[in-house]
């Protein structure tokens, strides 16, 4: 996954807990399933720290208009000591960030505007009590959720994925490294992923103020936050992919220099994480009739659908190595197997080390996935435990072309692997999306985890063949399946 979505204009980030508003955690149920059936647990979510208001304990901003206050944040540690990460009420989750509890899940709006500015997208984590993230261990298990993609146009990404964050949001790590993080998981601290994002404002209890570049979109600092990542669902209504990203490190790793694998320094494949991952994208693998808007597609993104991901181990045991990541869908009471590749030299409909190696070879890509350890190393991260992330974002760096259009743009789209979806190459710019689709949104619900085959059966949803209006825009007409 490429990162990151936009945040509230004028807001900021912190490491001390807030003092003005008691933090509310929206409800998000979780079902745990087995041979006995499924049992419901009452869980909650919290908003990532990068979206929150940061202040000095009163009303002075520590961060504003892309930069840190030089008086409050003269150095990394002083900034963490001075600045407070504010809580949000249930009303503020809705009115400021566009996050609303729904029946059995949540709804996330793309653009939410207040008198203080506009918020673009958001990112939340599932909690296990008020102070800890829920840790998922998924080897020899399956993970299921239901998504509503109707209002997700080209260029947006509704993402559900797991990252190897610390359960406490990095509080203990901050103490061990001489930092200050009293806010912790309750306030959404400690994010990391396989892109080693440099836009995290605090890492291990210290502000990322050194070398801070406020003119970059998004603003970035010297350090990055790396960890293993398993992308379950990256999608809009036109394209989707699921992607493991192994790393050569364990847990959260704060990188600098070559370890970050920065694109701008031409070091992408020299870092500690596999940034490309091994993405199974049905369109990219040749099936342009499998997923899309309308009843002519096998999986119709205009209707709710249930996404099932199975983590198969050697010997089908909890301690076996991860050897396969399989995908099924359930829609209108029908269980739908994943599409098969129709690209010459690539055979299969799931993520295995062989399929990944074949994809890299046929697409002419560097096989950083297997260099970083492939499924075995990805499975080790899953075994240690990972945090569930749900988000909605646009992409200032690559306009989401890597998901739903031609990418990279300097290659001929006829070359296998370059064309990844039907969207126009100019349809994913944030300014365009924010102007035309401010009412875009996504719904996540019915999240289940359990033994293989225990979380899904079949359910019926109403069919819908009405005209899509503007939500049908920005695809290349010659590539739409009729």
């Amino acid at each position: 996954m490429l990162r990151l979505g936009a945040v509230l204009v004028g807001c900021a980030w912190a490491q001390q807990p807030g003092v003005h508003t008691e933090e509310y955690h929206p409800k998000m149920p979780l079902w745990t399933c087995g041979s006995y059936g499924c049992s419901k647990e009452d869980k909650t979510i919290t908003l990532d720290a990068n979206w929150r208001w940061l202040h000095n304990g009163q009303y002075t901003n520590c961060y504003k208009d892309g930069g840190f206050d030089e008086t409050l944040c003269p150095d990394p540690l002083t900034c963490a000591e001075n600045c407070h990460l504010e809580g949000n009420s249930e009303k503020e989750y809705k009115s400021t960030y566009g996050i609303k509890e729904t029946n059995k899940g949540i709804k996330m709006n793309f653009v939410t505007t207040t008198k203080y500015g506009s918020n673009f997208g958001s990112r939340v984590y599932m909690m296990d009590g008020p102070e800890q993230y829920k840790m998922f261990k998924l080897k020899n298990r399956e993970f299921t959720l239901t998504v509503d993609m109707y209002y997700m146009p080209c260029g947006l990404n509704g993402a559900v994925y797991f990252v190897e964050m610390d359960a406490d949001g990095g509080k203990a790590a901050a103490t061990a490294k001489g930092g200050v993080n009293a806010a912790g998981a309750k306030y959404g601290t400690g994010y990391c992923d396989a892109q080693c994002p440099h836009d995290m404002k605090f890492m291990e209890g210290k502000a990322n103020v050194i070398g801070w570049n406020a003119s970059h979109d998004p603003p970035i600092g010297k350090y990055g936050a790396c960890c293993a990542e398993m992308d379950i669902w990256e999608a809009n209504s036109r394209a989707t992919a699921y992607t493991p990203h192994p790393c050569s490190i364990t847990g959260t790793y704060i990188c600098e220099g070559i370890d970050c694998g920065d694109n701008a320094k031409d070091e992408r494949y020299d870092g500690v994480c596999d940034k490309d991952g091994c993405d199974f994208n049905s369109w990219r693998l040749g099936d342009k009739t499998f997923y899309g808007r309308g009843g002519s597609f096998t999986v119709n993104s205009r209707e709710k659908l249930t996404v099932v991901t199975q983590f198969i181990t050697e010997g089908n045991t909890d301690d076996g190595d991860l050897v396969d990541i399989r995908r099924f869908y359930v829609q209108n009471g029908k269980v739908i197997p994943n599409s098969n590749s129709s690209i010459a030299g690539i055979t299969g409909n799931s993520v295995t080390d062989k399929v990944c190696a074949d994809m890299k070879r046929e697409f002419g890509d560097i096989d950083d996935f297997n260099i970083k350890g492939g499924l075995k190393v990805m499975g080790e991260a899953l075994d240690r435990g990972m945090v569930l992330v749900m988000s909605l974002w646009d992409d200032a760096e690559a306009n989401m072309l890597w998901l739903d259009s031609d990418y990279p743009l300097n290659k001929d789209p006829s070359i296998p692997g370059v064309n990844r979806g039907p969207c126009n190459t100019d349809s994913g710019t944030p300014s365009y999306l924010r102007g035309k689709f401010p009412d875009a949104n996504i719904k996540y619900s019915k999240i289940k985890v359990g033994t293989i085959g225990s979380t899904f059966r079949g359910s019926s949803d109403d069919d819908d063949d009405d005209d899509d209006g503007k939500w049908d825009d920005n695809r290349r007409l010659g590539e739409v399946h009729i």
Side-chain angles (χ1 to χ4, degrees):
M1 175 183 291
L2 302 174
R3 296 286 186 271
L4 174 72
V7 299
L8 185 69
V9 176
C11 278
W13 301 263
Q15 290 287 280
Q16 298 283 5
V19 296
H20 299 305
T21 303
E22 177 63 27
E23 171 67 8
Y24 173 83
H25 286 161
K27 298 177 180 62
M28 182 80 178
L30 170 69
W31 283 263
T32 302
C33 306
S35 59
Y36 54 86
C38 296
S39 60
K40 179 182 177 182
E41 302 176 55
D42 293 326
K43 300 298 183 184
T44 59
I45 58 169
T46 190
L47 180 69
D48 181 278
N50 255 28
W51 269 258
R52 295 172 181 265
W53 175 32
L54 175 67
H55 56 80
N56 68 342
Q58 297 181 32
Y59 294 95
T60 300
N61 291 325
C62 288
Y63 182 95
K64 185 178 181 180
D65 298 332
F68 288 92
D69 182 278
E70 294 182 358
T71 300
L72 294 170
C73 295
D75 60 74
L77 184 57
T78 302
C79 188
E81 293 172 337
N82 284 341
C83 298
H84 295 250
L85 190 65
E86 194 54 62
N88 293 299
S89 65
E90 180 179 8
K91 180 181 179 181
E92 287 168 329
Y93 264 95
K94 298 176 186 177
S95 63
T96 302
Y97 301 103
I99 301 169
K100 180 181 179 181
E101 298 170 3
T102 64
N103 182 31
K104 301 180 181 178
I106 59 169
K107 176 182 177 182
M108 305 177 81
N109 293 330
F110 176 42
V111 179
T112 306
T113 300
T114 71
K115 64 180 180 180
Y116 300 107
S118 293
N119 180 74
F120 307 105
S122 57
R123 184 170 65 213
V124 299
Y125 312 117
M126 180 169 280
M127 301 295 292
D128 194 9
E131 302 286 346
Q132 297 275 322
Y133 298 130
K134 168 70 177 176
M135 302 302 289
F136 289 81
K137 297 185 177 183
L138 294 174
K139 276 175 51 181
N140 198 31
R141 296 291 187 273
E142 68 184 25
F143 178 84
T144 297
L145 77 155
T146 296
V147 295
D148 184 343
M149 307 300 297
Y150 188 96
Y151 299 103
M152 288 290 292
C154 290
L156 287 184
N157 189 341
V160 177
Y161 57 106
F162 291 92
V163 293
E164 199 180 354
M165 296 165 62
D166 294 339
D168 66 355
K171 291 178 74 170
T175 300
K177 299 294 179 62
V180 177
N181 181 0
K186 180 178 181 179
Y187 294 86
T189 66
Y191 183 73
C192 58
D193 66 39
Q195 302 304 316
C196 301
H198 285 264
D199 62 338
M200 304 311 299
K201 306 308 181 290
F202 288 86
M203 303 175 187
E204 294 182 339
K206 298 176 183 178
N208 197 14
V209 297
I210 297 175
W212 188 255
N213 182 357
S215 64
H216 190 274
D217 187 8
I220 55 174
K222 175 181 179 180
Y223 299 102
C226 311
C227 65
E229 174 182 347
M230 177 64 225
D231 297 329
I232 299 290
W233 180 251
E234 290 198 279
N236 50 48
S237 63
R238 294 294 179 184
T240 182
Y242 72 102
T243 311
H245 296 266
C247 298
S248 60
I249 44 86
T250 62
T252 303
Y253 175 75
I254 306 306
C255 71
E256 63 175 306
I258 196 170
D259 281 353
C260 298
D262 292 337
N263 293 332
K265 300 176 182 177
D266 197 25
E267 295 172 347
R268 181 175 182 85
Y269 302 104
D270 300 319
V272 298
C273 288
D274 171 25
K275 294 191 172 187
D276 291 355
C278 176
D279 61 309
F280 196 106
N281 176 328
S282 295
W283 184 288
R284 190 183 189 205
L285 286 166
D287 193 337
K288 299 181 179 181
T289 69
F290 185 71
Y291 176 87
R293 296 188 73 91
S296 59
F297 291 90
T298 304
V299 177
N300 181 2
S301 63
R302 292 173 62 192
E303 300 179 350
K304 288 188 294 184
L305 60 123
T306 296
V307 183
V308 183
T309 309
Q310 297 179 332
F311 298 89
I312 308 301
T313 59
E314 187 173 15
N316 298 313
T317 62
D318 290 357
D319 57 358
D321 288 341
L322 182 67
V323 296
D324 197 356
I325 305 175
R326 299 176 184 168
R327 166 58 51 84
F328 297 89
Y329 299 91
V330 183
Q331 192 168 54
N332 295 324
K334 180 182 178 181
V335 177
I336 305 170
N338 197 26
S339 62
N340 283 285
S341 169
S342 62
I343 301 294
I346 308 171
T347 302
N349 72 341
S350 64
V351 173
T352 66
D353 286 337
K354 183 179 185 306
V355 167
C356 294
D358 291 345
M359 276 199 289
K360 301 297 184 180
R361 182 189 66 247
E362 297 302 324
F363 293 162
D365 296 334
I366 294 174
D367 190 2
D368 206 31
F369 177 75
N370 282 304
I371 291 172
K372 294 294 193 297
L375 287 182
K376 184 179 186 297
V377 170
M378 187 74 250
E380 291 169 355
L382 293 171
D383 210 23
R384 290 189 293 267
M386 304 181 81
V387 175
L388 174 62
V389 187
M390 292 163 281
S391 69
L392 193 170
W393 60 290
D394 58 11
D395 181 4
E397 296 193 350
N399 298 332
M400 221 67 74
L401 302 180
W402 55 271
L403 175 66
D404 62 19
S405 188
D406 298 331
Y407 190 81
L409 289 175
N410 62 357
K411 288 190 175 183
D412 187 336
S414 67
I415 297 173
V418 174
N419 181 221
R420 298 146 188 262
C423 297
N424 294 323
T425 56
D426 61 355
S427 64
T429 61
S431 59
Y432 172 75
L433 291 168
R434 295 170 187 184
K436 182 166 184 176
F437 299 104
D439 48 345
N441 66 79
I442 191 167
K443 295 176 183 175
Y444 302 123
S445 64
K446 300 178 184 177
I447 291 180
K448 301 177 182 180
V449 63
T451 53
I452 301 297
S454 67
T455 68
F456 70 101
R457 293 178 180 84
S459 59
S460 179
D461 293 312
D462 293 334
D463 193 18
D464 183 358
D465 286 324
D466 293 336
D467 180 73
D468 280 356
K470 71 176 182 179
W471 306 101
D472 196 40
D473 287 354
N474 300 317
R475 80 280 190 248
R476 289 170 286 201
L477 293 175
E479 295 184 349
V480 174
H481 177 61
I482 303 296

